[in-house]
Amino acid sequence: MTSLERRNALKGNELAWYERMLEIREFERRTNELFAAGSIRGTTHLCVGQEALDIGLATSLNPDDVLAATYRSHGVALAFGLSSHAVMAEIMGKSTGCAGGVGGSMHMCDSTVGLLPTSAIIGGGMPIAVGAALAFQVQKKKNVGVALFGDAATNIGAFHESLNLAAIWKLPVIFVIDNNVYGEYSRIDKTTPLEDLHMRAESYKMPHYAVDGMDVAATRKGIKEAVDRARSGGGPTLIEAKTYRFAGHSRADKALYRPEGELEKWQERDPIKLTEEGLVKRGLLDAAKIEKMRADMTKTIEGVVATCQAAPSPTVASMFENVFTS
């Protein structure tokens, strides 16, 4: 199945949303184990607990819209349609990865579903999304550009420059703050003088609001409102998705700096748990089906790991492929 086919499989299918969330969660769990075992080099940044935002974005945008996301991007890539093999192989540095194994954990991409190369630079995707939106506007297309970035990125210059330019030119771009409470190892209240980050859009006379980033339906509703406004020429929107990072900043971070009980409080609103409860209540899921879907996903991801481990590594010459000059 191609990335586009996997992306399209989510259309209007809430059970597929749930299954993709399970895929993201199991993928991240297994990825963390592989790093801990020394089977993967470098570092990685897990999105455990933030699956609802990934699915909300993927199901609210069209494949010909574009997303410029951050290095915490495994979940976004899977939600947008990349196969578990394409993402895992890239993390493992294998030639069958989405970037040929030369990008690694922080650099996911697939132009067929609108996923621009994810950026390891804090806030690096914001000017790129603005540029894409400008191109759509000049070409008179109805597509939109989306920038996904963390809460700490709202403190950098690129954030303010991007919002300012987008507001002046009424560009079809949506800025989505993935507010997971922590910027690397620092809690938001230690680095930022306001709790509701979306209020910063007031400086640019830009529509703004917060959404419950742990709830797929709430996230989709907020994003779709902004998408419809952008497509109709109404300009940009700043959305703050209130989420929580269940894991530490990176694989080496045990997050010992968190206040006691904070993680457990947020886990009560685990997006997968909330989605399960909603589907069970509506008769679309039951305990037996949940158990089977979880077991099947564990087996599937284990098979992906084995296949990726057996895949060839890129050659030295691979570094010079897809490099262009004018």
Side-chain angles (χ1 to χ4, degrees), residues 78-101:
L78 293 171
F80 270 63
L82 277 71
S83 69
S84 292
H85 180 99
V87 180
M88 183 64 78
E90 189 58 40
I91 295 170
M92 288 186 170
K94 300 292 186 174
S95 61
T96 52
C98 61

Side-chain angles (χ1 to χ4, degrees), residues 115-251:
L115 182 62
L116 299 175
T118 56
S119 176
I121 304 300
I122 301 296
M126 286 185 271
I128 295 172
V130 169
L134 176 59
F136 292 146
Q137 186 184 73
V138 170
Q139 295 166 11
K140 301 186 184 306
K141 293 182 177 180
K142 293 296 184 180
N143 309 90
V144 303
V146 180
L148 175 65
F149 48 93
D151 44 281
T154 65
N155 291 328
I156 69 171
F159 170 81
H160 298 281
E161 292 164 356
S162 296
L163 266 68
N164 189 67
L165 191 62
I168 290 172
W169 289 346
K170 294 192 71 172
L171 297 178
V173 59
I174 301 160
F175 302 97
V176 181
I177 308 169
D178 176 2
N179 184 357
N180 60 21
V181 184
Y182 288 89
E184 292 195 350
Y185 317 104
S186 301
R187 203 174 190 283
I188 187 172
D189 57 324
K190 305 296 184 184
T191 63
T192 310
L194 73 168
E195 182 177 342
D196 295 317
L197 300 177
H198 65 91
M199 294 300 296
R200 287 184 157 170
E202 286 288 317
S203 299
Y204 307 103
K205 294 188 176 181
M206 183 184 298
H208 60 89
Y209 43 83
V211 298
D212 181 357
M214 308 300 272
D215 184 292
V216 174
T219 302
R220 292 185 74 249
K221 181 181 178 182
I223 294 172
K224 189 171 187 311
E225 178 184 328
V227 169
D228 290 345
R229 178 165 40 250
R231 290 202 204 286
S232 64
T237 304
L238 177 64
I239 300 174
E240 179 183 0
K242 304 280 191 178
T243 64
Y244 192 78
R245 193 185 73 197
F246 288 2
H249 168 62
S250 63
R251 70 180 182 92

Side-chain angles (χ1 to χ4, degrees), residues 3 11 18 22 26 32 41 47 114 118 139 145 158 161 167 175 188-189 214 217 225 231 237 239 295 301 316 318 322:
S3 297
K11 284 185 178 178
Y18 171 68
L22 290 181
E26 180 61 21
N32 194 50
R41 298 176 181 176
C47 67
T118 56
Q139 295 166 11
E161 292 164 356
F175 302 97
I188 187 172
D189 57 324
M214 308 300 272
E225 178 184 328
R231 290 202 204 286
T237 304
I239 300 174
I301 297 300
V316 173
S318 300
N322 302 311

Side-chain angles (χ1 to χ4, degrees), residues 245-283:
R245 193 185 73 197
F246 288 2
H249 168 62
S250 63
R251 70 180 182 92
D253 176 21
K254 298 186 183 298
L256 300 178
Y257 42 78
R258 288 193 285 220
E260 184 177 352
E262 182 181 79
L263 172 61
E264 291 74 17
K265 180 180 178 181
W266 278 91
Q267 284 177 327
E268 292 175 5
R269 302 200 68 252
D270 184 322
I272 292 180
K273 175 185 174 183
L274 294 182
T275 303
E276 278 180 353
E277 290 173 349
L279 293 174
V280 168
K281 186 175 182 179
R282 292 161 53 200

Side-chain angles (χ1 to χ4, degrees), residues 5-23:
E5 288 171 337
R6 270 177 51 88
R7 173 79 176 272
N8 289 337
L10 295 179
K11 284 185 178 178
N13 189 339
E14 293 184 56
L15 277 177
W17 302 351
Y18 171 68
E19 185 176 38
R20 193 65 57 85
M21 291 170 76
L22 290 181
E23 180 182 4

